[in-house]
Amino acid sequence: MEQADVVIVGAGQAGIALSHCLRKRGISHVVLERGRIGERWRSSTWRSLRLLTPNWLNALPGSPYCGSEPDGYMSRDAFVETLVGYAHRSQAPVRSYVDVLSCEQDGQGFRLRTTAGDWSAKVVVVATGHCDVPSMPFPLHTSADQPVSIHASQYRSPDQLASGGVLVVGASSSGVQIADELRRSGRRVILSVGKHTRLPRIWRDKDIFWWLYHMGFMSQRLDDLTDPDSARRQPSLQLAGRADRSNVDLATLQGIGVELTGRLKGISNGTIGFADDLKDSITAADAKQDRLLRQVDQFAGHKSMAGAPAPIEVPTNCLKRLSFANDDIGTIIWATGYSRSFSWLKLPVITADGELAHKGGITTVAGLYALGFRFLRKRDSNFIGGVGPDAQAIADHVSHYLGQSGLKAA
């Protein structure tokens, strides 16, 4: 059995950032990764993806952005290259292609069973990421008379898909970007729209994240909010990281011919039914956008909302039903988010809804921590640039715990 003071599970930006922080504190650790560094970025995203956040906002501990395009949006491949380089410079002790099968308490520490043997650790940090298990509310059984059904994490490019039109379910960041790419490739695209968050890419000549960052919005903690549960459920922003900094929202999608319809409510007998709620979803998103932009303008000292984005025009003839047999739909793409899976954690730390119970990344099991999850400590805890401060805080707590418990290696 191999040993380390700390085992970090996951070598994404959170796990590598924490490794950097632990090494600075002289704490023995290892990072176990089921694939390669940044595996989800490599294998669960589409080829043309660019980061939603501008480069200046994506700093990791000890590694601020130093390139020539601080206001640009890094491509997926460029970010993976950056993350790998950061791991090498930090001398992160990553063990690749090691899947953790179970973790349970063993005396004063933990025993982890992996595909490459067992590990003993005094501390375990779960850094497996917020986007863990693809969520598909109405999974289809593959058959000759049905469209191919895939999750957004399986989509790579338009030429990958079967012939015919495409139904995209979900209108948050992944859904609108995939719908945009497919429509521009010449496909018929239908977008099923539910709850979503609309914001302009640029507002008052600055990236919207510039305002959110400087207003303190990104660093808000759950305790600061009047409705924490609603904040946790907030959909990701309808944004894209384009070189021309243009919007990708329902208005631009309508402009290129994407057909909008309501929330998907069921699939039965070769027919998909849609709710008659598109207007309500659009109205709610526009109202929320209006409230936030007014806050930005108040912060910036603007006295009017001149130049505000126009309300989305709701189509009058939305699809209510879609037939597999008659509507030439070759593919359904589910841009419906993710859930978390902690079946490997044999510890009493899982909530009734399957989430990891913690407060600020510290669980009720001594020595077990979490990092990189949404609202872990603040609103941007699952953002690339947000994991750094959280990693510093967790590293400090780990160091104190090991020292106080007399567990830290000499």
Side-chain angles (χ1 to χ4, degrees):
M1 183 185 298
E2 298 194 74
Q3 296 181 333
D5 280 353
V6 180
V7 169
I8 302 168
V9 183
Q13 60 267 16
I16 299 301
L18 180 60
S19 173
H20 174 93
C21 296
L22 292 178
R23 183 172 178 274
K24 290 291 185 182
R25 290 161 177 77
I27 297 174
S28 162
H29 68 282
V30 67
V31 185
L32 303 182
E33 166 56 48
R34 65 184 176 87
R36 300 158 292 179
I37 293 171
E39 184 61 42
R40 281 209 177 91
W41 288 102
R42 299 172 188 259
S43 59
S44 298
T45 58
W46 61 96
R47 292 173 192 157
S48 65
L49 176 70
R50 287 182 173 272
L51 303 186
L52 297 183
T53 46
N55 294 332
W56 62 266
L57 192 56
N58 299 326
L60 291 168
S63 183
Y65 178 77
C66 298
S68 60
E69 297 182 333
D71 296 317
Y73 309 97
M74 201 174 294
S75 71
R76 175 198 70 172
D77 293 345
F79 176 68
V80 169
E81 183 178 343
T82 297
L83 186 61
V84 171
Y86 175 68
H88 289 165
R89 291 192 304 276
S90 300
Q91 299 178 21
V94 177
R95 300 285 186 95
S96 297
Y97 301 104
V98 176
D99 198 2
V100 177
L101 305 176
S102 67
C103 173
E104 56 190 358
Q105 285 180 296
D106 183 19
Q108 286 187 293
F110 302 90
R111 182 188 184 101
L112 297 95
R113 189 167 60 89
T114 83
T115 53
D118 290 357
W119 278 84
S120 173
K122 299 159 187 174
V123 167
V124 171
V125 182
V126 181
T128 50
H130 193 75
C131 300
D132 195 0
V133 180
S135 176
M136 297 171 65
F138 298 96
L140 292 177
H141 300 291
T142 302
S143 65
D145 60 346
Q146 291 185 341
V148 176
S149 183
I150 64 172
H151 190 264
S153 60
Q154 298 170 291
Y155 171 74
R156 298 294 173 265
S157 65
D159 57 14
Q160 159 211 7
L161 304 183
S163 61
V166 182
L167 168 65
V168 179
V169 183
S172 292
S173 58
S174 293
V176 295
Q177 290 180 81
I178 291 171
D180 180 85
E181 179 170 270
L182 289 169
R183 181 58 192 152
R184 292 180 188 279
S185 75
R187 300 280 187 136
R188 179 194 180 193
V189 178
I190 301 164
L191 180 63
S192 173
V193 179
K195 184 179 179 182
H196 59 280
T197 305
R198 182 191 181 200
L199 281 178
R201 177 80 268 181
I202 303 299
W203 183 246
R204 305 303 183 208
D205 299 322
K206 296 186 183 296
D207 189 285
I208 191 65
F209 277 111
W210 190 95
W211 294 110
L212 298 180
Y213 177 83
H214 285 89
M215 289 169 62
F217 183 84
M218 303 293 286
S219 58
Q220 286 177 329
R221 296 173 179 266
L222 279 177
D223 294 343
D224 300 332
L225 306 177
T226 55
D227 190 349
D229 288 338
S230 176
R232 284 186 187 275
R233 297 191 301 269
Q234 188 73 25
S236 59
L237 304 179
Q238 279 184 348
L239 292 174
R242 291 178 159 179
D244 62 1
R245 307 172 87 188
S246 60
N247 292 326
V248 178
D249 58 13
L250 301 187
T252 61
L253 293 178
Q254 279 185 300
I256 61 173
V258 172
E259 303 168 46
L260 306 182
T261 189
R263 175 179 47 84
L264 192 153
K265 65 178 183 180
I267 302 176
S268 179
N269 300 321
T271 301
I272 299 175
F274 301 101
D276 187 19
D277 61 356
L278 179 60
K279 181 178 180 180
D280 292 342
S281 296
I282 288 175
T283 300
D286 282 352
K288 187 176 295 184
Q289 174 182 245
D290 183 72
R291 288 195 299 272
L292 184 54
L293 294 182
R294 287 183 185 278
Q295 292 177 38
V296 172
D297 277 2
Q298 184 177 14
F299 175 80
H302 283 268
K303 296 182 178 180
S304 76
M305 280 283 287
I312 303 292
E313 183 177 338
V314 181
T316 57
N317 56 341
C318 294
L319 278 172
K320 299 298 187 294
R321 286 179 298 278
L322 195 63
S323 167
F324 294 162
N326 301 323
D327 287 304
D328 190 29
I329 297 299
T331 307
I332 301 175
I333 300 178
W334 299 88
T336 43
Y338 297 83
S339 60
R340 266 60 55 203
S341 176
F342 302 109
S343 58
W344 57 276
L345 270 177
K346 312 301 182 182
L347 300 163
V349 290
I350 310 303
T351 65
D353 58 354
E355 299 292 349
L356 185 60
H358 66 86
K359 186 169 181 61
I362 303 165
T363 76
T364 54
V365 173
L368 181 69
Y369 298 84
L371 183 64
F373 297 100
R374 192 172 194 184
F375 263 117
L376 184 98
R377 297 179 67 249
K378 49 192 177 14
R379 189 182 288 273
D380 67 351
S381 285
N382 63 315
F383 283 59
I384 295 166
V387 300
D390 287 2
Q392 300 277 10
I394 295 297
D396 285 342
H397 199 281
V398 167
S399 181
H400 178 74
Y401 170 74
L402 291 174
Q404 186 181 53
S405 306
L407 297 173
K408 189 173 180 180

